[in-house]
Amino acid sequence: MNATAIRTIAVDGAVPYPIHIGPCLLEDGARLCEPVRGGHVLLASDGHVAPLYADRVEAALRRARPALEISRFVLPPGESAKTLEGFDACIDALAALGMRRDGCVFALGGGVVGDLAGFAAACWMRGIDVVQLPTTLLAMVDSSVGGKTAVDIPAGKNLVGAFHPPRAVLADTTTLRTLPRRELRAGLAEVAKYGAIMDAPFLDWLHQHRDALLAMDDAILAAAIARSCAHKAAVVGRDPFEHGERALLNFGHTFAHAIEAEQGFDGLNHGEAVAVGMVLAARLSARLGLAGAAHADALQGLLDGFGLPTRVPAGLHADALLARMRLDKKAAANGLRFVLWHGPGRAGVIGGIADADVLAVLADDTTGDVPTGDAPQDSP
Ligand code: NAD
Ligand code: GLY
């Protein structure tokens, strides 16, 4: 392994932790074992990722620490597994292993595994260690960092969960080589989010490097991951429990969560829904006079260029989406609250938004395109 290719970003807080980004980290037993305090490890993953990478992680852990007792928990892949039933099964796996308080859960996979296994670690014996091993772009730039863990329930997304920061994040960029293109694009939505809300030059950089990102150029992708993680680390270091600025990271998410829930978590994936949600939030901001419509057009152009959906999928009704948004964690008693946009690099949380404005933006924006193309690594 080329150790110089590894970048490390520190996340400050009550218990600081590192985010390591680079190739072949899943083979680095010493680094994997660094945060492991006890003798038990649960390696949690999903049915796509486990066959690809779980042996690699387990072998590296055993080489570095032969006495470790390691067992596996494998979820069915996809958002529809991020449920209380999946959580229950993970807890059963911890019990079967005889997991102790000083043990450690390794969450190997995308945001679904990270959120669910992280939540199980948060609850087992009132909280044991978790190490995040993100294998999707989205998980590398967002969900593995910051300690939000949760499962979905029929009433809505991420409604049951806890803040439980990891002891370490190891983002092995070589795992992105097997990622389906649709998931790569989904991750680019969350990357673009950082540009939109806090880093206007990054938006320009993403425009310039669009083709290289879609072609999975190693250096460009690693640079995008590191810049995104630096933003996320800074925000969650200052506001770990979302009492203030962390809420900005939810740009587009009020719309996105409503779309995902309304589609039964079986339509757009999270990143795609966030792409649509960010455009809707930008259009709502333009309607309210906070930013120019040209900015919304430019953001939509960037996301379109990444091959992401940017309009509400056909079959979803504005009234039903509005009802979902009222259930969102960010909703308030006196009207809806949104992260709204003041143009590139600037966002703010604004409450008391009238239903009529939200409905008008939704009504202007329905289409039929549901993305497909789950094959890994077709041409960009
Ligand atoms: P995901 O975990 O469902 O992964 C997407 C798909 O890619 C799955 O089918 C998975 O099996 C597959 N996959 C993962 N890595 C792979 C690889 N290297 N090679 C081949 N296949 C691979 O989805 P996601 O987009 O990673 O995460 C979305 C979830 O993350 C949502 O539930 C969302 O709510 C959550 N999220 C959480 C936070 C947070 O702060 N905790 C932030 C953003 C999103
Ligand atoms: N993804 C939003 C957050 O971590 O706060």
Side-chain angles (χ1 to χ4, degrees):
M1 184 197 336
N2 178 2
T4 58
I6 309 295
R7 302 171 202 225
T8 298
I9 294 165
V11 184
D12 291 332
V15 184
Y17 57 93
I19 308 167
H20 303 297
I21 303 161
C24 305
L25 284 164
L26 296 186
E27 286 149 44
D28 186 343
R31 222 186 282 250
L32 284 166
C33 278
E34 235 165 52
V36 177
R37 296 180 296 128
H40 290 78
V41 162
L42 183 73
L43 180 53
S45 192
D46 75 19
H48 289 153
V49 177
L52 293 168
Y53 300 113
D55 285 350
R56 198 176 294 189
V57 174
E58 191 169 332
L61 289 170
R62 287 194 191 289
R63 271 197 309 277
R65 201 113 23 113
L68 275 181
E69 205 164 314
I70 304 172
S71 70
R72 292 191 191 180
F73 168 71
V74 179
L75 264 184
E79 185 73 31
S80 53
K82 204 178 110 175
T83 58
L84 285 169
E85 291 73 29
F87 168 81
D88 211 23
C90 192
I91 292 293
D92 285 347
L94 288 163
L97 174 63
M99 180 61 97
R100 306 226 177 105
R101 293 211 65 170
D102 59 1
C104 186
V105 174
F106 281 78
L108 171 70
V112 165
V113 170
D115 279 13
L116 185 143
F119 184 40
C123 295
W124 181 256
M125 295 187 165
R126 301 193 184 86
I128 61 169
D129 292 339
V130 60
V131 170
Q132 295 282 350
L133 305 177
T135 63
T136 63
L137 178 60
L138 185 141
M140 289 181 190
V141 300
D142 193 358
S143 60
S144 64
V145 178
K148 279 189 182 176
T149 71
V151 294
D152 307 327
I153 59 172
K157 199 170 153 63
N158 295 336
L159 285 180
V160 182
F163 284 98
H164 189 59
R167 298 264 301 166
V169 180
L170 284 81
D172 183 337
T173 49
T174 46
T175 61
L176 297 176
R177 302 233 154 265
T178 55
L179 192 66
R181 292 208 70 77
R182 182 176 175 189
E183 303 303 336
L184 175 73
R185 294 187 192 107
L188 289 172
E190 296 279 14
V191 171
K193 178 185 77 180
Y194 296 107
I197 61 171
M198 58 182 63
D199 186 354
F202 191 30
L203 275 185
D204 296 335
W205 186 92
L206 291 172
H207 271 292
Q208 284 158 20
H209 294 90
R210 185 191 71 187
D211 293 344
L213 288 161
L214 290 170
M216 300 209 53
D217 178 291
D218 286 334
I220 297 297
L221 211 46
I225 295 167
R227 190 153 168 176
S228 301
C229 282
H231 283 307
K232 177 119 192 205
V235 171
V236 302
R238 290 190 293 263
D239 181 19
F241 299 115
E242 200 170 307
H243 295 313
E245 68 171 311
R246 183 167 182 171
L248 300 181
L249 300 176
N250 298 321
F251 181 53
H253 284 56
T254 302
F255 287 111
H257 288 174
I259 291 169
E260 286 180 86
E262 201 49 23
Q263 292 187 314
F265 303 111
D266 196 24
L268 297 190
N269 64 30
H270 180 68
E272 291 164 347
V274 167
V276 176
M278 288 193 293
V279 174
L280 288 167
R283 299 252 170 254
L284 181 58
S285 307
R287 183 181 170 85
L288 298 173
L290 301 171
H295 291 314
D297 293 341
L299 181 61
Q300 182 164 4
L302 175 69
L303 299 169
D304 283 337
F306 285 147
L308 284 158
T310 54
R311 304 190 69 189
V312 177
L316 297 188
H317 299 291
D319 287 333
L321 290 170
L322 185 67
R324 291 275 179 191
M325 284 185 247
R326 290 212 185 89
L327 262 181
D328 194 88
K329 296 188 293 307
K330 292 167 282 299
N334 58 340
L336 289 166
R337 284 168 73 220
F338 285 89
V339 181
L340 292 177
W341 208 33
H342 302 288
R346 291 184 305 129
V349 178
I350 300 186
I353 305 296
D355 288 0
D357 287 315
V358 179
L359 286 170
V361 166
L362 286 168
D364 273 354
D365 197 86
T366 37
T367 180
D369 53 335
V370 176
T372 54
D374 239 348
Q377 303 317 310
D378 50 338
S379 57

Short mmCIF file of all heavy atoms in Angstrom, two decimals, residues 142 145 148 193 232 242 246 249-250 253, ligand 2:
data_model
loop_
_atom_site.label_atom_id
_atom_site.label_comp_id
_atom_site.label_asym_id
_atom_site.label_seq_id
_atom_site.Cartn_x
_atom_site.Cartn_y
_atom_site.Cartn_z
N ASP A 142 -20.50 11.46 3.34
CA ASP A 142 -21.57 11.97 4.20
C ASP A 142 -21.92 11.04 5.36
O ASP A 142 -21.59 11.31 6.51
CB ASP A 142 -22.81 12.26 3.34
CG ASP A 142 -23.86 13.08 4.07
OD1 ASP A 142 -23.65 13.38 5.25
OD2 ASP A 142 -24.90 13.41 3.47
N VAL A 145 -19.67 9.86 8.44
CA VAL A 145 -19.06 10.90 9.28
C VAL A 145 -20.15 11.62 10.07
O VAL A 145 -21.19 11.97 9.51
CB VAL A 145 -18.32 11.93 8.39
CG1 VAL A 145 -17.71 13.04 9.23
CG2 VAL A 145 -17.26 11.25 7.54
N LYS A 148 -24.66 10.28 12.91
CA LYS A 148 -26.11 10.07 12.84
C LYS A 148 -26.36 8.61 12.48
O LYS A 148 -25.83 8.11 11.48
CB LYS A 148 -26.74 10.95 11.76
CG LYS A 148 -26.98 12.38 12.21
CD LYS A 148 -27.80 13.11 11.17
CE LYS A 148 -28.03 14.56 11.55
NZ LYS A 148 -28.75 15.30 10.50
N LYS A 193 -23.77 19.00 -2.85
CA LYS A 193 -24.44 19.70 -1.73
C LYS A 193 -23.45 20.61 -0.98
O LYS A 193 -23.78 21.74 -0.63
CB LYS A 193 -25.04 18.66 -0.78
CG LYS A 193 -25.72 19.24 0.44
CD LYS A 193 -26.17 18.14 1.40
CE LYS A 193 -25.02 17.56 2.20
NZ LYS A 193 -25.44 16.50 3.13
N LYS A 232 -17.64 18.34 6.02
CA LYS A 232 -18.53 17.66 6.98
C LYS A 232 -17.87 17.60 8.36
O LYS A 232 -18.51 17.84 9.38
CB LYS A 232 -18.86 16.26 6.48
CG LYS A 232 -19.73 15.49 7.48
CD LYS A 232 -21.06 15.08 6.99
CE LYS A 232 -21.94 14.59 8.14
NZ LYS A 232 -22.97 13.69 7.73
N GLU A 242 -26.64 18.90 15.93
CA GLU A 242 -27.53 19.67 15.05
C GLU A 242 -28.39 20.68 15.82
O GLU A 242 -29.60 20.77 15.65
CB GLU A 242 -28.42 18.72 14.23
CG GLU A 242 -28.99 19.40 13.00
CD GLU A 242 -29.68 18.44 12.04
OE1 GLU A 242 -29.05 17.45 11.65
OE2 GLU A 242 -30.83 18.70 11.71
N ARG A 246 -25.33 22.55 11.61
CA ARG A 246 -25.37 21.21 10.99
C ARG A 246 -26.64 21.03 10.15
O ARG A 246 -26.65 20.27 9.20
CB ARG A 246 -25.26 20.13 12.06
CG ARG A 246 -25.23 18.74 11.45
CD ARG A 246 -24.82 17.64 12.42
NE ARG A 246 -24.77 16.36 11.72
CZ ARG A 246 -24.31 15.25 12.21
NH1 ARG A 246 -23.83 15.22 13.44
NH2 ARG A 246 -24.31 14.14 11.50
N LEU A 249 -26.66 20.94 6.39
CA LEU A 249 -26.32 19.73 5.64
C LEU A 249 -27.58 19.02 5.14
O LEU A 249 -27.49 18.06 4.37
CB LEU A 249 -25.50 18.76 6.50
CG LEU A 249 -24.16 19.29 7.01
CD1 LEU A 249 -23.50 18.25 7.93
CD2 LEU A 249 -23.23 19.61 5.85
N ASN A 250 -28.73 19.47 5.63
CA ASN A 250 -30.00 18.86 5.18
C ASN A 250 -30.58 19.58 3.97
O ASN A 250 -31.76 19.39 3.64
CB ASN A 250 -31.02 18.86 6.33
CG ASN A 250 -30.53 18.04 7.51
OD1 ASN A 250 -29.93 16.99 7.32
ND2 ASN A 250 -30.77 18.53 8.72
N HIS A 253 -33.10 17.94 1.76
CA HIS A 253 -33.51 16.68 2.37
C HIS A 253 -34.97 16.63 2.80
O HIS A 253 -35.55 15.56 2.90
CB HIS A 253 -32.61 16.36 3.57
CG HIS A 253 -31.25 15.85 3.18
ND1 HIS A 253 -30.41 16.55 2.34
CD2 HIS A 253 -30.58 14.71 3.49
CE1 HIS A 253 -29.29 15.85 2.16
NE2 HIS A 253 -29.37 14.74 2.85
N1 GLY B 2 -26.34 14.19 6.40
C1 GLY B 2 -26.72 15.23 7.29
C2 GLY B 2 -25.96 15.22 8.57
O1 GLY B 2 -25.11 14.40 8.81
O2 GLY B 2 -26.23 16.04 9.39
#
